[in-house]
């Protein structure tokens, strides 16, 4: 078995956490390629090293003193090094960083040092080779990740290496300057490495035992999801982002490598397996429920809309012309609704409305704000009759009015629009009917 194991910031926040990680790696000889994040929070009031680095660089850029804060960052690493009893000094590295900050090496360079230094510590601790991600992960001038070039260089480099540590989150642009992924991007690096070495499994170690069927802030102690497909996870992306970076799916998905979300603080827990496809039915009819508040429905009416060729395109073009992305577009014979993010829409509202009038010449436009969207997702829904009926009955039972219904043609999801104020109640009712009542 060849595995890539990525460890998140909270898994590497202190020497004690590093030890747990060390034990996990030693427990399985297949864990050959390790991708660390920067040290995260040691307690809820603590600050992540990445955030400290951003602050520190901001001060340097503004011409303020930053050496004290840099000293505090160094202390975070020294504490780990001391706690692990390693014979390692980061003195020279920090001198280089101090000079680079003074020379304004860039915000992304600054942030990347968290992973870079943690990679050096991790490699020293494990006795694995350290590979600077700037030599093997590439971005173009605009900061877009170059997947194929990276895959070629990285797989070549790792071919002859039995074991290695590759820090997460960053790589380099065409001129060698350091570029980073968006926050939480070490998950993406792990996935890229897994693809490059054709791993059997990509383990993503974090501080929760995988995905839950519903948000624990809404449902007390929700059940966990043992297995989920990439597609289901995409449909549940409203909830996924805090556990796994959305973009981390793509490299492994291409290569058909499963991801296992695991808990560093509870390694014996199974966690969640994310797979390409499975014949294993989900435990419940639904795999998960996720949602988000803060949408606006732009309801557009025009007589004989169904007969007008190009009407939908013109409407959507109006949104495009104002740089607004849409979430859902349910329609009727003479109506079409476009669901957009309220926050994004508010600033451009009038410009969008006049663009629709100009481009699509509707009879009427009506706006409805403060709506929430809830996605009920499950690969088993297809083979079960009455899923929609059960959802609607559950919502009717708790007096929640459904504003919109949208079922994807894959029958993998049913999206429901409700008022923001009904959001939590609706999720509870759906969870109850499909999960709680089945326990
Ligand atoms: N350290 C980076 C962050 O805090 C990247 C990561 O942890 O994945 O966002």
């Amino acid at each position: 078995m060849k595995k890539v194991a990525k460890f998140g910031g909270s898994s590497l926040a202190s020497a004690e956490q590093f030890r747990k990680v060390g034990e996990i790696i030693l427990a399985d000889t297949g864990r050959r390629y390790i991708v660390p994040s920067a040290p995260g929070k040691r307690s809820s009031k603590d600050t992540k090293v990445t955030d400290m680095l951003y602050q520190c660089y901001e001060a340097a850029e503004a011409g303020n003193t930053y050496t004290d804060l840099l000293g505090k960052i160094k202390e975070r690493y020294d504490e780990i090094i001391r706690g692990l009893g390693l014979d390692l000094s980061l003195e020279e590295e920090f001198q280089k960083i101090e000079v680079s900050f003074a020379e304004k090496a860039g915000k992304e360079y600054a942030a990347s040092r968290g992973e870079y230094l943690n990679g050096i510590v991790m490699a020293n601790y494990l006795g694995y080779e350290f590979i600077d991600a700037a030599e093997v992960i590439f971005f173009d001038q605009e900061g877009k990740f170059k997947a194929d070039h990276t895959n070629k260089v990285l797989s070549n480099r790792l071919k002859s290496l039995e074991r290695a540590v590759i820090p997460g989150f960053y790589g380099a642009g065409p001129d060698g300057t350091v570029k980073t992924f968006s926050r939480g991007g070490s998950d993406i690096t792990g996935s890229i490495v897994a693809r490059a070495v054709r791993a059997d499994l990509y383990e993503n170690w974090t501080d929760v035992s995988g995905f839950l069927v519903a948000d624990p802030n809404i449902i007390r102690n929700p059940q966990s999801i043992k297995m989920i497909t990439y597609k289901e996870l995409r449909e549940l992306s409203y909830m996924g982002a805090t556990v796994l970076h959305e973009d981390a799916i793509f490299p492994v998905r291409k290569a058909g490598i499963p991801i296992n979300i695991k808990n560093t603080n509870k390694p014996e827990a199974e966690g969640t397996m994310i797979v390409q496809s499975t014949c294993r039915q989900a435990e419940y009819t639904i795999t998960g429920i996720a949602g988000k508040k803060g949408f606006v429905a732009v309801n557009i009416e025009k007589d004989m809309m169904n007969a007008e060729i190009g009407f939908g395109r013109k409407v959507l073009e109006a949104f495009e012309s104002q740089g607004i992305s849409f979430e859902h577009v349910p329609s009727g014979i003479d109506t079409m609704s476009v669901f957009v993010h309220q926050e994004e829409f508010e600033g451009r509202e009038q410009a969008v409305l006049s663009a629709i009038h100009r481009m699509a010449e509707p009879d009427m436009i009506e706006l409805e704000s403060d709506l929430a969207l809830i996605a009920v997702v499950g690969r088993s829904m297809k083979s079960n009759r009455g899923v929609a009926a059960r959802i609607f009955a559950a919502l009717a039972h708790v007096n929640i009015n459904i504003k919109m219904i949208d079922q994807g043609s894959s029958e993998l999801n049913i999206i429901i629009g409700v008022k923001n104020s009904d959001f939590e109640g609706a999720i509870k009712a759906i969870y109850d009917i499909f999960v709680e009542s089945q326990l």
Side-chain angles (χ1 to χ4, degrees), residues 6-10 36-40 48-51 54 111 114-115 168-170 181-189 245:
K6 179 260 166 181
F7 292 89
S10 59
S37 283
K48 286 171 121 189
V49 163
T50 308
D51 291 315
Y54 278 126
E115 271 68 11
F169 191 39
Y170 73 95
F181 292 108
S182 57
R183 296 299 304 265
S186 298
D187 287 341
I188 309 171
T189 310
H245 194 297

Side-chain angles (χ1 to χ4, degrees), residues 2 73 111 140 155 161 181 189 217 265 272-273 292 361 379 383 430:
K2 199 193 287 173
I73 298 170
D140 68 14
S155 49
L161 276 179
F181 292 108
T189 310
N217 296 312
N265 303 316
T272 300
M273 268 292 201
K292 208 174 178 178
E361 299 175 342
R379 59 186 180 278
S383 48
I430 299 169

Side-chain angles (χ1 to χ4, degrees), residues 339-350:
F339 275 71
V340 291
H341 294 266
Q342 193 154 338
E343 234 173 52
E344 200 181 303
F345 179 69
E346 266 170 2
R348 312 213 54 91
E349 178 188 83
Q350 294 309 314

